[in-house]
Amino acid sequence: MPQRLDYLIETASQTAGPYVHIGLAPGAAGFSIFGQELGQTIAAPEVPGERIRVEGLVLDGTGAPVRDALLEVWQADAAGIYPHPEDPRHAEVHPGFRGWGRIITDFDTGLWSFETVRPGPVPGRPGAVQAPHISVWLVARGINIGLNTRIYFPEDAALHAADPVLSMIEQRHRAATLVAARTGPGAYRFDIRLQGDGETVFLDI
Amino acid sequence: MKPAAYFQRNRDIHPPALARGYKSSIPRSPRQALLSIDQTISEITGPAFGHGDIGPLDHDLIRNFATTGDPVGSRIIVHGHVRDENGRPVPGTLVEVWQANASGRYRHRKDTYFGALDPNFGGCGRTITDENGYYVFRTVKPGPYPWRNHVNSWRPAHIHLSVFGRAFCQRLITQMYFEGDPLIPLCPIVRTIPDPAAIDRLIAPLDLNASIPLDSLAYRFDIVLRGRRSTLFENRLEGN
């Protein structure tokens, strides 16, 4: 017998279920309990940058909107800096910029939306940049392990060709599933298709 | 310099997206392969939380919603450590929980089960791990409840847990079950996990040493998040 590796093993995921709101967004479940719910403000109004609003649906394999999903987003600020100690420039981030938000779908329509500042490009491999993007993590009843994807912006098409994620998508037409559609000044639409025609590219990060 | 990556996720111990016994997964599971990417700064960073984000009673589900008295049910303590796969503690990380009450009823506008709501029980809590990665909640033991998967399907008693870690790629939601519950092996959601040992690690044992005599039983639930590689040496960057 060789020596034994003594790593621990990651705890297995289980679905967030239909009542995820109780734990992560109790106001949506129908009651008030905490002094403040987390993840409601990604970028306070005084944070520098272009204000944007992103909305969309999560659609299941039959084309129906998923009305009990919860999304979390994580992004850099307008200068491309993450408010995290491992970003070498994190001390420059405005104190009103959290970079993280929690978004739930409407129980009737399935529509979700959030407001933030448009992120800047962030570093990729040494010497390279990644196109501006917002990272997304999606959970719901019927989703056994959180799904990761990214939201990119159509204005940055020139940076998309060299982006380390977009450029790795083998079926080129599927890269479009990660690019939001501009619907007006500072307004974007990003529908997430869990399955079937136009299935969103999900990432193993 | 390229940041040190987290260990690749071992998908064999996690449920696959499509698990036919759990019917809701059928229309909600991607059919295409996940795109495996090299981690970048976007994945190895993540939100940070501090004690300013939470209140002093948030971890006490017996008190954090009660108005006229304590909630009904078996009083329990749920505690454990959050560690990474290297066995290192994960301090200062947010742990959120939610659960049904002792009747198996959730305080949620969409839950229509006729198990009684408890006016003194909200069913959610949150805390931040200490410098050793330790967390503790006080609550009542949740009841099992019926659900519409197959006819006469029942969920074992469970508590949902959400954990952040330090990086967006460590984000995890899971469910904790209770030692000795005969409904565990029958549950289609438990059975989405292909590895029996991974299921066992979701079952919290009774921890009599941590219970409070004449007050509360205790269950212990340790959580493991993805570990991380050591920082790479500069001259080994190529090919890593």
Side-chain angles (χ1 to χ4, degrees):
Chain A
M1 287 280 281
Q3 294 185 8
R4 228 182 82 141
L5 291 170
D6 60 355
Y7 293 109
L8 301 180
I9 301 173
E10 190 187 12
T11 301
S13 172
Q14 290 271 262
T15 180
Y19 306 127
V20 59
H21 317 89
I22 296 172
L24 307 190
F31 64 105
S32 170
I33 181 165
F34 297 137
Q36 58 172 333
E37 291 197 12
L38 298 173
Q40 298 196 326
T41 305
I42 304 169
E46 66 274 18
V47 170
E50 179 196 349
R51 303 293 306 185
I52 59 168
R53 181 173 186 279
V54 185
E55 67 164 25
L57 291 170
V58 180
L59 298 161
D60 72 13
T62 74
V66 173
R67 296 175 299 171
D68 52 8
L70 181 138
L71 292 80
E72 287 181 1
V73 295
W74 172 241
Q75 65 164 92
D77 70 4
I81 310 173
Y82 283 101
H84 185 277
E86 290 189 50
D87 190 309
R89 296 186 292 160
H90 72 274
E92 299 168 35
V93 174
H94 188 286
F97 182 77
R98 188 117 199 198
W100 173 77
R102 192 171 257 174
I103 302 119
I104 59 164
T105 52
D106 184 274
F107 288 151
D108 296 319
T109 64
L111 198 66
W112 55 265
S113 69
F114 64 90
E115 291 180 17
T116 184
V117 293
R118 170 205 256 298
V122 297
R125 292 178 76 89
V129 296
Q130 305 186 66
H133 62 271
I134 296 174
S135 296
V136 178
W137 178 79
L138 166 64
V139 294
R141 169 175 67 90
I143 294 179
N144 289 324
I145 180 166
L147 295 169
N148 289 97
T149 188
R150 285 181 172 194
I151 302 171
Y152 288 86
F153 299 93
E155 294 85 349
D156 306 315
L159 292 172
H160 289 174
D163 180 83
V165 170
L166 292 176
S167 63
M168 266 212 310
I169 299 172
E170 181 185 348
Q171 297 87 6
R172 296 309 308 153
H173 67 280
R174 296 195 69 213
T177 67
L178 301 190
V179 183
R182 187 179 150 96
T183 55
Y188 296 91
R189 175 87 183 193
F190 187 78
D191 290 333
I192 298 172
R193 291 180 173 77
L194 295 177
Q195 185 189 104
D197 285 346
E199 182 176 310
T200 299
V201 173
F202 295 103
L203 308 174
D204 189 7
I205 64 171
Chain B
M1 167 158 176
K2 188 182 173 189
Y6 283 78
F7 298 155
Q8 65 280 3
R9 185 163 250 162
N10 177 2
R11 296 264 166 187
D12 292 341
I13 60 100
H14 288 291
L18 173 61
R20 290 194 170 271
Y22 175 31
K23 292 180 182 175
S24 295
S25 77
I26 295 176
R28 294 183 169 194
S29 44
R31 290 293 186 270
Q32 301 303 320
L34 300 177
L35 179 68
S36 294
I37 66 168
D38 285 336
Q39 289 165 15
T40 71
I41 193 166
S42 305
E43 288 75 40
I44 60 115
T45 57
F49 301 91
H51 287 278
D53 288 316
I54 63 174
L57 273 185
D58 287 1
H59 71 291
D60 185 353
L61 283 71
I62 287 183
R63 291 283 155 75
N64 69 12
F65 191 75
T67 52
T68 61
D70 286 350
V72 173
S74 301
R75 299 160 65 86
I76 59 168
I77 288 163
V78 175
H79 74 138
H81 285 85
V82 181
R83 299 189 181 92
D84 69 17
E85 289 171 306
N86 288 309
R88 298 188 187 110
V90 182
T93 198
L94 181 66
V95 181
E96 296 164 291
V97 297
W98 68 100
Q99 64 168 90
N101 67 21
S103 313
R105 174 75 181 270
Y106 284 99
R107 184 171 290 281
H108 191 289
R109 65 177 86 215
K110 295 289 182 190
D111 188 359
T112 55
Y113 177 42
F114 51 75
L117 273 175
D118 186 327
N120 291 308
F121 192 69
C124 61
R126 54 193 190 180
T127 192
I128 290 177
T129 56
D130 73 9
E131 67 275 18
N132 300 312
Y134 179 77
Y135 75 91
V136 57
F137 290 97
R138 185 168 76 151
T139 185
V140 296
K141 192 172 178 186
Y145 59 84
W147 61 304
R148 294 180 184 279
N149 189 68
H150 53 271
V151 171
N152 205 15
S153 40
W154 291 76
R155 294 293 335 268
H158 63 277
I159 297 177
H160 298 263
L161 293 103
S162 159
V163 197
F164 279 82
R166 295 188 191 88
F168 206 58
C169 70
Q170 287 183 300
R171 191 81 178 84
L172 183 73
I173 279 183
T174 190
Q175 300 181 29
M176 175 202 120
Y177 303 97
F178 292 86
E179 177 181 14
D181 188 336
L183 291 168
I184 295 171
L186 306 179
C187 175
I189 289 178
V190 171
R191 291 166 67 149
T192 59
I193 299 172
D195 177 359
I199 293 175
D200 286 345
R201 288 192 295 269
L202 296 185
I203 303 173
L206 177 70
D207 184 356
L208 207 54
N209 290 344
S211 35
I212 304 173
L214 303 176
D215 182 330
S216 300
L217 283 174
Y219 287 85
R220 181 165 184 144
F221 189 66
D222 291 328
I223 299 166
V224 180
L225 302 179
R226 290 168 72 177
R228 191 173 190 183
R229 294 173 180 277
S230 307
T231 303
L232 299 168
F233 291 108
E234 205 76 56
N235 62 359
R236 289 205 201 147
L237 279 176
E238 260 345 281
N240 265 307

